Amino acid sequence: MKKQAGYSIVLTAGLLLCATPLAADDLPAETPYVETMPEGPRDHWVALGDLNPLGSPDTRVVLFDADKGEMLGLLSTGYWSGLSYFPRGRSDIVTLETYFEKGTRGKRTDYAVIYDGKTLLPLHEIEIPPRRMTALTQTRMADLTDDGRFLAVTNFTPAQSVSIVDLAEHRFVGEVATPGCGQIYPVSARSFGILCGDGSLRIMTLDDAGQVATQAEGEPFFDAFKDPVLVPAARWGAAWLFVSMDGMIHEVAAENDVAKLRATWSLITDRERKDRWRTGGVQPLAIHEATSKLYALMRQGGPETYEEPAEEVWVYDLKTHAKIDTIPLTNLTLAINVSRDDKPLLNAAALKTVVPYWSLALVSILGNKFADFDVVKPALDIYDAHTGHHLRTIDHAANFATSVTQP
Amino acid sequence: MGRLDKWFEARTRAIARGTSRRGFLAGASAALLGTAAVPLLPVARVQAAMPTDGDATSCDYWRYCAIDGFLCGCCGGSPSSCPPGTVVSAVTWVGTCRNPNDNKDYIISYNDCCGRSSCGRCACQRDEGDMPLYRTDAANDINWCAGSTADIAYNCSTAVIMGVSTGE
């Protein structure tokens, strides 16, 4: 003990010597401050929805600058959310949040929260019915009308309904029963579709006060039992593109506020289908409107692998339905999105294997078991959407990201 | 990444695709769930502890063919019981799994256990027969704790035998 104490004295003295500043090189004293979000275009911001499954009361929206590969900040969204919405033409950010009075028990309160896009401070916390739906696939649980005025939120108790929130007047408007129908797909300034279990898209239109003015049932556009479509679809103008479990694309557009099937085509050839190619991940489709390109996360495997991470992105010309490119992914990927600008980025919520693959092969050969989470960490991969070149990987981007959102 | 690494990557991915029903990295999607109306049917029932016909803490155990979540058998419960302090979800969804021991198909109810934070142990995603959210009868992505007295606080997932499937 005495010897250790002696070392400590020597060490402390050494540290003091080192800490003594040289007058000529003094660094200026600093005052801590709080950053604000950067000015300028937000096209290359990326918001990862982090479900944080090992800390479910503490889900997050993690914001990144995809060009710089830097984290900008985060929003805490409470229990099982990670959902964020960016009204077009405005700087504020809308989230859905849930809190239990005592962490995981006690009174539940749900909110739609409007954040200042500059300070990331909450401007308005609008209480909504504590019934919003939670699931692994979070991408269509709610959305804004195109004019940014109203937010529609899916509820599940398991009775189904939709809550309407007025973001201009900062108030909950009302709740509409939607038996058999749930997920939200905006189609115009004041209308959105709700996906129904009978294979149809019901179009709901709101009046200026946010009350439901009309509801139009559509014809079923797919068979929910023979070849169901996936919930995470991609928007293309007035249409939504849904992909089925068997790789069929259904283009559904709202015409005079009624959903109409515009086209059906296959993402994969018969040969590729035989080789068990299918979409993968939990947000498998993305569209770049200006170039009419569809990006699809693809993997090989049986139907039970349809939500497992994907290895490639296949690119299609939406006008000809032709496959025009294949982008091999740097890391296995669960969710993609493409920025809207003319230098688009393909943003990918990925799972990066953080040890060399040969070591995994060796471990497997030796018969040792390892859990997947032991060797993979969520990362955000950024690609040039035109060329498919991998630009950068942002490590440790989230605890478990299941959605990629952009302003 | 070196060429050797690339080669091993391709090999490892191929092996994982070919040999594992649950798929490589499937556990990463640990958030997930499943459920079925708790035993309301008029059939004889037992309260079963940890089963002896397989390793109930392994994702490869036969009852987990359609599961997506943390295995209660690793969390203080078992395939048919919830950990202390939690509550069983009121509603759920069901899958059908082949028991390799008697070669029969069983209907399995994937009730969630609710009221605590996520267990975090033994994440398991098998997804056989899993359907999108609007097919609530067969959707394991839904947080079925939504129907429980503990609301949406999800802890882990069970795999309760409901009976032999008649194949209807």
Side-chain angles (χ1 to χ4, degrees), chain A residues 273-345:
Chain A
R273 190 168 279 115
K274 201 177 166 190
D275 289 341
R276 306 201 306 167
W277 281 99
R278 63 182 66 251
T279 57
V282 290
Q283 190 177 333
L285 300 182
I287 285 175
H288 187 249
E289 288 233 27
T291 53
S292 300
K293 283 183 184 173
L294 170 71
Y295 297 77
L297 268 179
M298 301 299 291
R299 73 184 315 282
Q300 278 180 291
E304 74 282 2
T305 67
Y306 80 104
E307 285 184 335
E308 292 193 13
E311 299 165 342
E312 296 181 356
V313 165
W314 291 4
V315 188
Y316 297 82
D317 182 331
L318 280 170
K319 291 176 178 162
T320 63
H321 304 163
K323 182 182 167 189
I324 53 176
D325 202 1
T326 298
I327 303 173
L329 295 169
T330 301
N331 296 297
L332 294 174
T333 295
L334 275 172
I336 54 168
N337 216 331
V338 176
S339 65
R340 293 187 170 90
D341 59 315
D342 59 5
K343 291 183 179 170
L345 299 176

Side-chain angles (χ1 to χ4, degrees), chain A residues 56 108 229 306-308 332, chain B residues 22 25 118 130 134 141 151:
Chain A
S56 338
R108 171 183 169 182
V229 299
Y306 80 104
E307 285 184 335
E308 292 193 13
L332 294 174
Chain B
R22 64 195 166 100
L25 300 177
S118 296
D130 173 43
Y134 52 83
D141 281 356
D151 211 306

Side-chain angles (χ1 to χ4, degrees), chain A residues 55-383:
Chain A
S56 338
D58 183 25
T59 60
R60 302 104 182 269
V61 173
V62 195
L63 296 159
F64 295 93
D65 181 322
D67 290 326
K68 293 179 179 170
E70 293 175 353
M71 180 170 162
L72 295 170
L74 75 76
L75 302 168
S76 292
T77 51
Y79 202 94
W80 203 305
S81 174
L83 293 170
S84 61
Y85 305 92
F86 296 82
R88 304 296 292 274
R90 299 208 308 262
S91 65
D92 52 326
I93 304 171
V94 180
T95 63
L96 283 172
E97 303 181 8
T98 290
Y99 298 96
F100 288 99
E101 197 174 25
K102 296 165 186 168
T104 54
R105 60 195 162 89
K107 186 186 173 200
R108 171 183 169 182
T109 312
D110 289 9
Y111 299 95
V113 182
I114 304 174
Y115 285 90
D116 183 313
K118 181 83 178 161
T119 64
L120 295 193
L121 292 171
L123 297 172
H124 305 281
E125 296 173 333
I126 307 162
E127 188 169 343
I128 60 176
R131 292 187 274 280
R132 69 175 185 84
M133 187 176 190
T134 54
L136 166 68
T137 43
Q138 291 277 83
T139 50
R140 303 255 46 93
M141 286 300 180
D143 213 339
L144 307 164
T145 51
D146 282 359
D147 64 359
R149 170 79 187 268
F150 297 104
L151 176 73
V153 184
T154 297
N155 298 317
F156 185 81
T157 64
Q160 290 178 290
S161 62
V162 169
S163 293
I164 306 294
V165 184
D166 186 333
L167 298 173
E169 297 192 359
H170 319 131
R171 67 183 183 94
F172 163 65
V173 175
E175 186 177 358
V176 187
T178 57
C181 307
Q183 278 58 51
I184 309 290
Y185 302 83
V187 293
S188 67
R190 286 286 165 82
S191 300
F192 52 87
I194 312 173
L195 189 61
C196 300
D198 67 355
S200 69
L201 195 67
R202 178 189 297 184
I203 305 295
M204 197 175 271
T205 302
L206 305 179
D207 63 19
D208 288 345
Q211 301 291 337
V212 176
T214 61
Q215 279 196 66
E217 293 183 12
E219 292 291 320
F221 66 90
F222 69 97
D223 189 318
F225 288 86
K226 283 184 181 164
D227 189 22
V229 299
L230 308 187
V231 163
R235 180 131 182 223
W236 187 34
W240 281 89
L241 268 64
F242 292 85
V243 64
S244 75
M245 294 184 92
D246 198 31
M248 299 302 294
I249 291 282
H250 301 283
E251 289 181 25
V252 183
E255 296 171 7
N256 299 319
D257 286 340
V258 178
K260 294 274 169 59
L261 180 63
R262 205 159 65 177
T264 295
W265 52 281
S266 182
L267 271 185
I268 46 180
T269 63
D270 290 343
R271 179 58 197 256
E272 289 160 348
R273 190 168 279 115
K274 201 177 166 190
D275 289 341
R276 306 201 306 167
W277 281 99
R278 63 182 66 251
T279 57
V282 290
Q283 190 177 333
L285 300 182
I287 285 175
H288 187 249
E289 288 233 27
T291 53
S292 300
K293 283 183 184 173
L294 170 71
Y295 297 77
L297 268 179
M298 301 299 291
R299 73 184 315 282
Q300 278 180 291
E304 74 282 2
T305 67
Y306 80 104
E307 285 184 335
E308 292 193 13
E311 299 165 342
E312 296 181 356
V313 165
W314 291 4
V315 188
Y316 297 82
D317 182 331
L318 280 170
K319 291 176 178 162
T320 63
H321 304 163
K323 182 182 167 189
I324 53 176
D325 202 1
T326 298
I327 303 173
L329 295 169
T330 301
N331 296 297
L332 294 174
T333 295
L334 275 172
I336 54 168
N337 216 331
V338 176
S339 65
R340 293 187 170 90
D341 59 315
D342 59 5
K343 291 183 179 170
L345 299 176
L346 171 67
N347 304 311
L351 297 166
K352 180 179 176 181
T353 303
V354 292
V355 297
Y357 281 99
W358 61 262
S359 69
L360 297 181
L362 192 61
V363 165
S364 298
I365 290 166
L366 294 174
N368 293 338
K369 285 187 177 177
F370 60 88
D372 300 333
F373 260 138
D374 294 343
V375 295
V376 300
K377 296 292 175 194
L380 175 59
D381 284 330
I382 312 293
Y383 302 84

